[in-house]
Amino acid sequence: MRSKFLTISIDIFFIAIAIFISIYAREAFVYYSSAFAYYFFDGNRLLTTNDAYHFATATKDLINDNINDAFYPIATLEMPSILSAAFYYLLPFSIDDLFFFLPIILSSLVAIPVYLLAKDMTNKYFALFAAILTPLSIGYSNRTIGGYYDTDMLVLFFPLFGIYFLYRILKQYNLRDVVFAAVFFILALLWHKVSATYILTASIFFAFLYLLIKDRKKLKQYEALGILIISISFINIYIKLILLIILLHFMSDKVLFFQDITDKIKSKIKYKSILILLIGCGVFIVSNLDLITSRFATYVTDKMIAQSAITLHSTSGTVMELAPLTISNLAERTMGDNATFVIGLIGIIVMFVKVKQSIILLPFLLLSFLSLKLGLRFSMFGAPIFSIGYFYLLYFLLNFLNAL
């Protein structure tokens, strides 16, 4: 018991160090901008993007109970607005200060899932360095500086935490991990629907491939994948939660209510695990497929949308952050330079070979390489996997040398 408490205490301490370093590094921009009057208006710091003002306006409308007449009525009920409003009521800071400083603090929380994943694959020391490096990568840090009040501040945190619990499920099934994974999958979808859908759908697909190839007889894991598929389906949140509760009820070995009825139903259902997986796939296909394909065609490609006499072009050609990167740009934005980029990439390959379950992190690598075609905004997704891969290679080589 004492040993477990000590282990948890060290983990918390190491995570706190990584978060502190991330926040301290981001304070450099705060210090730099303080010397220039054009970073301020009416005594308050200026936000740095159009989207920042989009969410800031929506949050103020929510706080002022102006939802019906809001400038962005839909955005008032989106996660960034709701979360910021909650912080406004709980913390003794002005709303303008929250808009500016929240990205610095919340984006640094990505160190938590990175540490937990890296620790499981290496040890707590290499995990600490991976957790420090991830939020400091250029591709991530310059989209989460002070005033960058956008969804980017938690766009890695929620999916990574969900994937951490999926990783645990693949290693050793536990219903508690299924519940936590489902919660973070739902939060990731609520936070940023598009990126979460692509990342988590791909992660579930690679998890399914892993099970088919390595652990096809572990039926409980198929049940978990069915639950997670439903978690990222575009259905009404209340219907989703009810469906998940019902399925989790039948998955549990300890039935909390309606035990007799539940036992009878379980006894009559064959291949329960496959059935839950098929239910999840059915819900996902019906609710998600059209939106996924339409978003891909209109947002990340250069296709046009034509209807009647009006022709609308996609925005990809007009946004600077969607300008394609070179491989050297990608290396700089993920690992700082070409040499460490190559080391990190080698480490990722070795990690995939030695830790088979880690293949569920492949979507982050693929998204980062999409920046070579679709723009720098996607490079930030490479920060966690390159950091983990880099230190996994060092861990692997150290163990190899010790074994000689």
Side-chain angles (χ1 to χ4, degrees):
M1 185 69 181
R2 184 179 179 182
S3 176
K4 185 177 180 180
F5 176 77
L6 180 62
T7 300
I8 294 174
S9 299
I10 292 173
D11 289 339
I12 294 173
F13 178 66
F14 279 4
I15 289 171
I17 290 175
I19 292 174
F20 173 80
I21 292 174
S22 174
I23 293 174
Y24 184 79
R26 282 161 173 75
E27 284 293 321
F29 174 73
V30 178
Y31 175 78
Y32 167 81
S33 62
S34 299
F36 300 96
Y38 51 76
Y39 281 106
F40 295 81
F41 178 77
D42 197 23
N44 295 312
R45 293 180 177 274
L46 291 174
L47 305 183
T48 57
T49 69
N50 291 333
D51 284 349
Y53 283 101
H54 164 89
F55 287 112
T57 302
T59 302
K60 286 188 175 181
D61 285 330
L62 179 62
I63 291 173
N64 296 326
D65 197 21
N66 192 33
I67 297 176
N68 293 331
D69 299 320
F71 193 72
Y72 302 112
I74 296 177
T76 57
L77 300 178
E78 290 180 349
M79 280 278 285
S81 305
I82 295 173
L83 185 63
S84 301
F87 281 128
Y88 172 74
Y89 287 114
L90 293 173
L91 301 175
F93 302 113
S94 70
I95 190 63
D96 294 298
D97 284 341
L98 283 176
F99 291 150
F100 187 85
F101 287 102
L102 272 182
I104 295 175
I105 298 171
L106 294 184
S107 64
S108 300
L109 298 181
V110 73
I112 302 174
V114 170
Y115 176 86
L116 294 174
L117 276 164
K119 183 193 173 189
D120 204 288
M121 298 178 197
T122 59
N123 60 41
K124 58 180 176 290
Y125 303 108
F126 287 102
L128 170 61
F129 288 114
I132 291 173
L133 181 60
T134 298
L136 297 183
S137 70
I138 296 174
Y140 184 60
S141 62
N142 74 355
R143 298 181 64 84
T144 53
I145 59 172
Y148 209 112
Y149 179 67
D150 199 346
T151 51
D152 288 349
M153 55 188 171
L154 287 174
V155 78
L156 293 182
F157 174 80
F158 287 128
L160 271 174
F161 234 131
I163 288 173
Y164 165 68
F165 286 108
L166 175 57
Y167 173 82
R168 286 172 56 93
I169 292 167
L170 294 180
K171 288 190 66 178
Q172 182 65 48
Y173 175 85
N174 187 304
L175 186 61
R176 178 185 57 196
D177 290 331
V178 178
V179 173
F180 279 120
V183 168
F184 279 104
F185 274 40
I186 292 172
L187 290 174
L189 198 69
L190 291 173
W191 186 261
H192 197 280
K193 181 182 291 185
V194 179
S195 65
T197 300
Y198 287 120
I199 290 172
L200 299 179
T201 301
S203 293
I204 292 172
F205 173 75
F206 289 122
F208 181 69
L209 287 183
Y210 166 80
L211 289 176
L212 286 181
I213 296 171
K214 299 295 295 182
D215 289 317
R216 65 175 62 92
K217 293 183 179 180
K218 292 184 176 180
L219 297 181
K220 285 286 189 179
Q221 274 83 343
Y222 292 104
E223 294 180 9
L225 293 187
I227 292 295
L228 298 183
I229 291 170
I230 294 172
S231 299
I232 58 171
S233 297
F234 300 154
I235 57 177
N236 180 276
I237 185 65
Y238 299 109
I239 296 175
K240 180 188 294 187
L241 292 176
I242 291 171
L243 181 58
L244 288 175
I245 290 171
I246 292 173
L247 292 177
L248 287 169
H249 173 73
F250 282 100
M251 289 169 58
S252 176
D253 294 329
K254 298 179 180 179
V255 180
L256 299 179
F257 48 86
F258 304 125
Q259 183 166 355
D260 293 338
I261 298 175
T262 303
D263 291 339
K264 287 181 181 179
I265 294 174
K266 282 185 177 181
S267 64
K268 293 181 180 180
I269 296 178
K270 294 183 178 181
Y271 310 112
K272 174 172 65 75
S273 301
I274 303 302
L275 178 60
I276 292 175
L277 177 61
L278 291 176
I279 290 173
C281 291
V283 172
F284 181 85
I285 291 172
V286 171
S287 61
N288 286 44
L289 193 59
D290 180 65
L291 184 56
I292 291 175
T293 54
S294 65
R295 284 296 184 104
F296 186 82
T298 59
Y299 185 66
V300 299
T301 72
D302 200 25
K303 292 184 178 180
M304 296 181 295
I305 307 168
Q307 185 174 1
S308 301
I310 301 176
T311 301
L312 301 176
H313 291 268
S314 76
T315 61
S316 61
T318 63
V319 182
M320 286 184 63
E321 66 182 16
L322 295 182
L325 296 180
T326 65
I327 191 69
S328 294
N329 294 146
L330 177 60
E332 181 182 7
R333 296 183 67 80
T334 51
M335 292 297 290
D337 57 47
N338 292 335
T340 50
F341 177 81
V342 172
I343 295 172
L345 187 58
I346 294 172
I348 291 169
I349 296 171
V350 174
M351 180 178 69
F352 286 162
V353 173
K354 303 298 290 186
V355 185
K356 303 294 191 300
Q357 298 91 340
S358 66
I359 194 66
I360 61 176
L361 290 170
L362 181 57
F364 288 94
L365 179 65
L366 297 178
L367 265 183
S368 68
F369 275 102
L370 275 178
S371 64
L372 300 177
K373 177 177 173 56
L374 303 177
L376 63 84
R377 68 177 304 170
F378 294 95
S379 64
M380 66 185 294
F381 292 97
I385 189 168
F386 272 97
S387 299
I388 295 173
Y390 181 87
F391 288 104
Y392 181 83
L393 182 61
L394 297 182
Y395 168 80
F396 173 79
L397 291 175
L398 184 61
N399 284 346
F400 178 78
L401 293 174
N402 287 335
L404 293 179

